[in-house]
Amino acid sequence: MLHHGGRLNAVAKKYAIAAEHWIDLSTGINPEHWPIPALPDHCFTRLPENDDGLMQAAHQYYKTDACLAVAGSQAAIQMLPRCRQQSSVAVPDIGYAEHAYQWRLAGHDVVFYRGDNIDAVIHQVDVLVIINPNNPSAVTYDRQKLLHYHQILQQRQGWLIVDEAFSDCDEKNSLVRQAHKPGLIVLRSFGKFFGLAGVRSGFIFAEKLLLDRLNLLLGPWTLSGASRYITKKALLDSQWQQQAKNNLQASSEKLHRLIQHHSGRQPAGTWLFKTVMHPQAETIFTLFAEQAVFIRLLDNKQGVRFGLPRPDQWPTVDAIFGQVFQQLALILVDDKQKQA
């Protein structure tokens, strides 16, 4: 299987620092999660039931009823390739690698495009996968441009799949409410904005015929009783959602300034993460790890991604950023002297 984020236990073991002493900035997940209440016994003592109010909460939150609950958007990513005959599929060269992996695994032809080069491939493929906003590059696509791509693909019964895992904070380009249209499929994650990745909950939005087929493929009890209960309650908590957006916007701006100040570089990102492209990305990752700060080294090793710290961690994070980039400057000077 592909390597993914998280895995704090593994990095703690590698650097011989106990996991509880680390600051984990490796994931783009809200560090101030929705507060989980005491769960009723029926979440565990009865099989999950479809008429428990979860879908009504989802319809209210997303403002559409063209959706299906899944065990994280990963479940949909794995199943969608089984719903088409052999096709040519375009995926971003930088982004969530499971998209390309799952389409290839199902026997489809996969081609890659750069974030600014979709027009060069769209007339040659049956399926176009867009991550909006992209993780980790943070490239975003205008809603009207996306609908234009959908029209082109629909002329030959193609699909536009838009992965909106990081769009809860800013939905101006979201296509969730248009996803009832044939050939338009939107994926949404629950765990990132609500800070509850372990709940393994998400939604897929599409026309009813495709949702019915996916429902059959996924089978009964896709989500556990506890996951359904937590997801429903969180989706209905509009007061917490608004406060969370305010907090995330402020924290995102703070992280942006901190990175820019210490690294001298302009980060890209969303409200939940910031990415810095850097030729010394591997060294930066190691220097942070030696200070028990876990960040994400991009798969191509050309950059690093920083998630948001908890409110109580900001002073420590600020100090460690200063130390790391001072060390990096000394390393670069020493390398130059050796080359001279």
Side-chain angles (χ1 to χ4, degrees), residues 83-126:
C83 296
R84 281 192 70 95
Q85 295 180 335
Q86 202 276 337
S87 302
S88 177
V89 184
V91 301
D93 60 349
I94 297 176
Y96 188 54
E98 285 284 344
H99 287 289
Y101 178 73
Q102 294 296 335
W103 283 98
R104 277 180 168 161
L105 195 64
H108 301 273
D109 296 324
V110 174
V111 298
F112 292 92
Y113 65 86
R114 296 194 316 272
D116 59 351
N117 201 33
I118 293 177
D119 291 336
V121 300
I122 190 168
H123 295 284
Q124 306 164 22
V125 298
D126 308 301

Side-chain angles (χ1 to χ4, degrees), residues 261-276:
H261 172 71
H262 290 296
S263 72
R265 291 176 177 255
Q266 188 78 4
T270 69
W271 286 11
L272 288 167
F273 67 82
K274 300 296 177 184
T275 299
V276 178

Side-chain angles (χ1 to χ4, degrees), residues 55-213:
M55 296 315 298
Q56 289 82 352
H59 299 164
Q60 178 178 318
Y61 179 79
Y62 294 108
K63 297 179 175 59
T64 179
D65 59 359
C67 64
L68 176 69
V70 290
S73 50
Q74 173 65 28
I77 291 169
Q78 292 178 202
M79 284 298 172
L80 283 171
R82 303 189 191 184
C83 296
R84 281 192 70 95
Q85 295 180 335
Q86 202 276 337
S87 302
S88 177
V89 184
V91 301
D93 60 349
I94 297 176
Y96 188 54
E98 285 284 344
H99 287 289
Y101 178 73
Q102 294 296 335
W103 283 98
R104 277 180 168 161
L105 195 64
H108 301 273
D109 296 324
V110 174
V111 298
F112 292 92
Y113 65 86
R114 296 194 316 272
D116 59 351
N117 201 33
I118 293 177
D119 291 336
V121 300
I122 190 168
H123 295 284
Q124 306 164 22
V125 298
D126 308 301
V127 178
L128 172 63
V129 178
I130 292 179
I131 305 171
N132 193 37
N134 185 282
N135 169 35
S137 71
V139 171
T140 58
Y141 299 88
D142 177 79
R143 178 186 295 174
Q144 294 307 313
K145 189 69 170 176
L146 294 174
L147 291 173
H148 173 65
Y149 292 146
H150 173 246
Q151 286 183 329
I152 293 173
L153 291 161
Q154 266 300 97
Q155 293 172 8
R156 52 183 182 279
Q157 287 73 54
W159 284 359
L160 172 64
I161 300 174
V162 186
D163 184 343
E164 295 185 356
F166 287 92
S167 67
D168 285 71
C169 298
D170 184 359
E171 298 194 87
K172 65 178 179 293
N173 291 313
S174 173
L175 291 184
V176 160
R177 296 179 204 174
Q178 284 78 35
H180 60 278
K181 298 178 180 179
L184 179 55
I185 301 161
V186 179
L187 312 178
R188 292 291 284 267
S189 169
F190 169 79
K192 294 177 176 60
F193 171 63
F194 289 95
L196 297 171
V199 170
R200 303 309 306 138
S201 179
F203 295 89
I204 179 168
F205 301 82
E207 63 174 319
K208 186 178 186 304
L209 188 65
L210 179 57
L211 293 179
D212 289 343
R213 186 174 181 187

